[in-house]
């Protein structure tokens, strides 16, 4: 699997990249220099034109698993777009076709297993992972995302690999996701998973500031 040539690296504010760069700064509250570093760490792209329908107007997040590009997901920068996140399908009749269903892998898995951590945080979405993983790394904190409120057996297997690399396994769910938390605790029985409630006034982990990440985890 290869990334389309129309998926350009999001490393500066020039030309067509401007609106996507500004989205990460103004909407996602990363500093401009943070966005440049995020590009280097997570291979973030943007798509302002594409031969494949559905990807234009999105920040693209490649998904790697055990060193291989297996899929990607894209977050729209437009409020009017009904589908906020679009992921590459693994169905045979689709082109391009992902090598896996994204719900069968954990986002940022490769980074989580490459080192030892004080804390690994399990969250739902890609933006949640970026906030916690980027701001928490220097404090021994990493993060992985399940691409949804539940967790599948394949993801559980990968989570066991990560559990071996961290002292504490923590979950952090969106505000109002108590039912999902109950199911998550049941699915991860034996891992010692604990939950950290979000600070007052924060509805999802992707809204956390650097200070809140460090204090929370």
């Amino acid at each position: 699997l290869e990334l389309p040539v129309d998926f350009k690296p999001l490393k500066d504010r020039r030309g067509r990249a401007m609106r996507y760069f500004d989205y990460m700064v103004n909407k996602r509250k990363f500093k401009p220099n943070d966005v440049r570093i995020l590009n280097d760490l997570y291979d973030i792209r943007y798509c302002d034109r594409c031969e494949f329908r559905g990807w234009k107007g999105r920040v693209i997040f490649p998904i790697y698993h055990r060193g291989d590009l297996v899929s990607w997901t894209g977050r729209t920068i437009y409020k009017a777009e009904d589908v906020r996140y679009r992921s590459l399908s693994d169905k045979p009749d689709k082109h391009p076709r992902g090598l896996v269903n994204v719900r069968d892998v954990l986002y940022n898995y490769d980074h989580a297993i490459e080192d030892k951590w004080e804390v690994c945080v399990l969250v739902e979405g890609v933006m949640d992972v970026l906030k916690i993983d980027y701001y928490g790394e220097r404090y021994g904190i990493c993060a992985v995302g399940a691409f949804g409120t539940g967790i599948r057996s394949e993801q559980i297997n990968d989570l066991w690999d990560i559990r071996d690399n961290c002292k504490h396994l923590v979950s952090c769910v969106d505000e109002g996701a108590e039912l999902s938390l109950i199911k998550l605790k049941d699915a991860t029985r034996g891992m010692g998973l604990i939950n950290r409630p979000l600070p007052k006034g924060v509805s999802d982990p992707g809204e956390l500031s650097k200070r809140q990440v460090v204090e929370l985890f």
Side-chain angles (χ1 to χ4, degrees):
L1 183 65
E2 295 183 353
L3 294 169
V5 295
D6 292 322
F7 289 3
K8 306 296 184 182
L10 186 57
K11 58 184 179 181
D12 56 44
R13 198 173 174 272
R14 299 176 184 174
R16 293 180 178 273
M18 181 184 298
R19 67 189 72 182
Y20 304 90
F21 196 95
D22 288 349
Y23 169 80
M24 296 295 290
V25 173
N26 299 328
K27 298 297 184 181
R28 294 300 174 171
K29 306 303 179 184
F30 287 105
K31 294 180 180 179
N33 193 54
D34 290 338
V35 179
R36 298 182 181 96
I37 299 174
L38 288 171
N39 170 256
D40 293 336
L41 294 177
Y42 306 100
D43 196 23
I44 297 176
R45 309 293 179 106
Y46 72 94
C47 180
D48 200 61
R49 59 174 70 178
C50 189
E51 63 174 303
F52 304 116
R53 185 178 179 183
W55 300 106
K56 181 179 178 180
R58 295 179 182 273
V59 179
I60 307 296
F61 304 95
I63 302 167
Y64 295 93
H65 191 263
R66 302 187 185 279
D68 294 324
L69 175 67
V70 295
S71 190
W72 60 74
T73 190
R75 209 298 182 185
T76 182
I77 65 171
Y78 299 115
K79 290 183 178 180
E81 172 62 56
D82 293 333
V83 181
R84 291 189 304 164
Y85 282 94
R86 180 183 300 277
S87 296
L88 192 62
S89 174
D90 64 331
K91 295 181 179 180
D93 61 338
K94 297 295 183 180
H95 182 74
R97 176 189 176 190
L99 301 183
V100 300
N101 185 319
V102 297
R103 291 291 283 110
D104 290 334
V105 294
L106 294 172
Y107 180 69
N108 204 40
Y109 169 83
D110 283 13
H111 183 227
I113 63 169
E114 72 181 7
D115 209 342
K116 299 292 184 181
W117 306 94
E118 287 292 321
V119 179
C120 179
V121 186
L122 175 64
V123 291
E124 176 184 343
V126 171
M127 288 296 182
D128 303 336
V129 170
L130 294 187
K131 273 293 177 74
I132 297 169
D133 195 75
Y134 175 66
Y135 286 136
E137 182 174 18
R138 70 180 61 183
Y139 303 97
I141 303 166
C142 73
V144 292
F147 297 104
T149 56
I151 190 164
R152 294 187 176 183
S153 58
E154 293 85 354
Q155 294 173 317
I156 291 290
N157 292 336
D158 282 350
L159 197 59
W160 273 115
D161 295 340
I162 296 167
R163 184 67 185 92
D164 293 338
N165 275 22
C166 65
K167 291 183 179 180
H168 306 284
L169 183 62
V170 176
S171 63
C172 189
V173 300
D174 292 5
E175 184 180 40
E178 288 78 9
L179 181 60
S180 297
L181 179 59
I182 293 173
K183 293 180 179 179
L184 180 61
K185 286 184 175 180
D186 184 62
T188 57
R189 194 181 303 273
M191 292 190 189
L193 178 73
I194 59 175
N195 186 64
R196 280 283 189 266
L198 288 164
K200 186 176 181 179
V202 178
S203 61
D204 74 74
E207 297 177 1
L208 293 169
S209 66
K210 177 180 179 180
R211 179 177 178 179
Q212 289 171 325
V213 167
V214 176
E215 290 179 348
L216 193 60
F217 305 113

